Amino acid sequence: MSSRLRVVAVLLTALVAQATLLTEIRLQGATVELMMVIAILAGFHGGPERGALVAFFAGLLQDSLLSVPLGLHALVFPPLAVAVSSLEQRMVRSTPATDAVALLLATTAGIFTVAGVGLLFGLSPYDPETLLVRILTAAVMTTAIAAPVNRAVRWAVLGGLPPDIKLRTVGS
Amino acid sequence: MAAKRPVDRPRPTLLIILAAALTLLTLQFRGLQPLDAFQQGVRDIVEPVRSLSDRLTDPVQTAWNGVFGFEALRLENERLEVELARMRGNALTSEADTELLNRLLSEVDIAYSDFDAVVVRILGQPPGNFSSHMIEVDKGTDDGIEEGMAVVTGAGLVGRLEQVDRSRSLVQLATHPDFRVGVRLVTSQDEGLAKGTGTEGILRIESGVRLDAQVDNDEVLVTSGGRSLFPGDIPVGKVLDPDSDADYRRSIIIGLAADLENLSFLKVVLPAEKPEGMR
C-alpha cells in the first residue's frame, strides 16, 4: 500500500472514530482531539512538508465533521505540524516522557489557537467560564490516547522509509 | 524521528496550504453553497456508521451509568422527592400561576400548543470540543425540518436548528452566546431582542425595550414573530431583573422557561404556512 493510501486510511479511520466512539467519551464536556493529534504526529514523523499536507487534510475532515466553517482547523493544523517538526529537529534528546509533555503542550496550544481563530471569525465555540478546564482536559485526554495513534501515523506517513534515520550530528 | 527528505519545501507548501485554508474560510463566509454541500456530504457519509455506533454503545452507556452513576442517580432521586413534596405543597399557587399565564396568553391571542411540530430525540453533544450550548437530535431534512426552525418543549423555547443534515441536526440552545430571538413582553407589549448569555437558563435583552417601559418581575415573554425566524407567541421565559433603574442602556435578565437539563425529547416547530415544495 502506498504512503498516500495509508494516510487516507488513517485519516478516514480517525474521522469515524472521532464521530462515534470518542464523541461518547467526555470529561468535563471535553473530548479527544484525534485529528489534531494526527496532525501533530504527522509533523513529528513526516517532517514539515508532509506533516503540513497531512495536517491540512486532517483539518478539512475535522471541519466537515463539526459545525464550524470549512478551513478553520485546516488553517491551524498545518502550522502546528510544521512547528512540531521544527522543534523535533532541534531536540537533541527525546524520551517518551519528554515526547508526551511536548505533545500535551502542542495539543493545548493547538486547541487554544483553534478557539482564538474561531473567535476572530466570529464564532463562540467555548463557554468562557469553562474554557480553561475544557481545553486542558481535552489536551490531557488527547495525550492519553497518543500511543496507538503514534504507531498508526508513523506507519502512514513514513512511506516505507526507515523510521530511525538520524540526520543530526552532535558536536560536529 | 522525522525523515527529512531533500525535496522538503516547508515554507512554500505551508504558504500555499494557509492560502487555501483562508480561501475556503472566506468562501464559506460568503455563503458558497458547494462548500456547505461538501461538509454535509461528509457528515451524511459518516452518519450510518454513527447510527450503528450509537446503537452499539447504548447498552454500554446504560451499564456504565448504572455502575458509575448510581450515586448521582440516588441523589437525583432524593432531589426529585423533595421537589415533588414542594410542588404538592405549592399546588394551589401553581394552579393560580398557570391560570394567570393562560389568561395572559389568551389575552394576546396565543395558541402555543396549536403549532405543527416534529418530535425529535436528543442524541447528545455533537462531536468535538466546539459544542458548548449545542445538542444533536435524531431528525433531519428527510423529516421535513430546516435550518432556523424553532425548537421547543412543553415549557417553551429551547433553541433553534443550527445545522440540518439528512437524518441528524444540531440545535443551538437559547443560552448560546450567538443565539438571538425577538421577544415581546406580554403585559407591556414592548418588543426587544433577547440573546444568549452563555450562562445556563439565562437570556438578556439589551435592545428594543424602552428605558421608561413598565416591566415587572416575573412578567412573561413570548417570541415576537414578525420578521423573526421564529413563529410568534412561543413562551420564552419570565423577567428576573427588569433593570428599571437603567439610565442609558437597559439590560433585562430573563429566566428561560424551558429547563434544558435532563431533556430527552424536543419539538421542532414547523412553519404555519409551508412554502411550496416543502413536505
Side-chain angles (χ1 to χ4, degrees), chain A residues 15-16 18-20 23-24 26 29-31 33 44-50 52-53 56 60 63-75 78-79 82 88 94 114 121-122 124-127 129 134 138 161 163 165-168, chain B residues 1-5 7-10 13-14 17-22 24-26 28-29 35 38-40 42-43 46 49-51 53-54 57 61 123 125-134 136 162-163 170 176-178 197-199:
Chain A
L15 180 75
V16 170
Q18 179 83 69
T20 55
T23 297
E24 308 290 341
R26 287 184 182 273
T31 187
E33 289 277 355
F44 186 84
H45 291 297
E49 187 177 12
R50 178 170 288 200
L53 282 168
F56 177 70
L60 277 187
D63 290 329
S64 301
L65 184 65
L66 309 184
S67 55
V68 296
L70 194 67
L72 178 64
H73 288 88
L75 184 66
V82 171
E88 188 272 336
S94 71
V114 169
F121 281 93
S124 310
Y126 293 101
D127 187 344
E129 292 174 7
R134 184 176 279 218
L161 290 171
I165 293 175
K166 296 272 188 187
L167 293 172
R168 290 188 288 268
Chain B
M1 295 299 125
K4 187 171 182 174
R5 287 164 294 283
V7 293
D8 264 2
R9 295 182 300 274
T13 306
L14 185 61
I17 284 173
L18 291 181
L22 279 170
L24 285 172
L25 271 172
T26 309
Q28 178 110 40
F29 275 103
L35 294 183
F38 170 76
Q39 285 184 296
Q40 189 168 343
V42 171
R43 288 193 297 268
V46 177
V49 188
R50 294 191 65 195
S51 293
S53 167
D54 285 345
T57 55
Q61 276 186 317
L123 295 172
Q125 276 191 283
N129 286 304
F130 272 74
S131 52
S132 291
H133 306 287
M134 304 273 271
E136 200 168 29
E162 168 73 6
Q163 177 185 291
L170 288 186
H176 193 289
D178 290 340
T197 58
T199 305

Side-chain angles (χ1 to χ4, degrees), chain A residues 25-46:
Chain A
I25 303 170
R26 287 184 182 273
L27 288 174
Q28 306 282 336
T31 187
V32 170
E33 289 277 355
L34 186 58
M35 304 308 272
M36 183 179 288
V37 80
I38 286 177
I40 291 168
L41 292 171
F44 186 84
H45 291 297

Side-chain angles (χ1 to χ4, degrees), chain B residues 122-154:
Chain B
I122 296 174
L123 295 172
Q125 276 191 283
N129 286 304
F130 272 74
S131 52
S132 291
H133 306 287
M134 304 273 271
I135 52 174
E136 200 168 29
V137 296
D138 71 338
K139 298 272 170 61
T141 51
D142 287 354
D143 305 284
I145 61 178
E146 294 177 350
E147 277 182 26
M149 287 180 173
V151 181
V152 301
T153 66

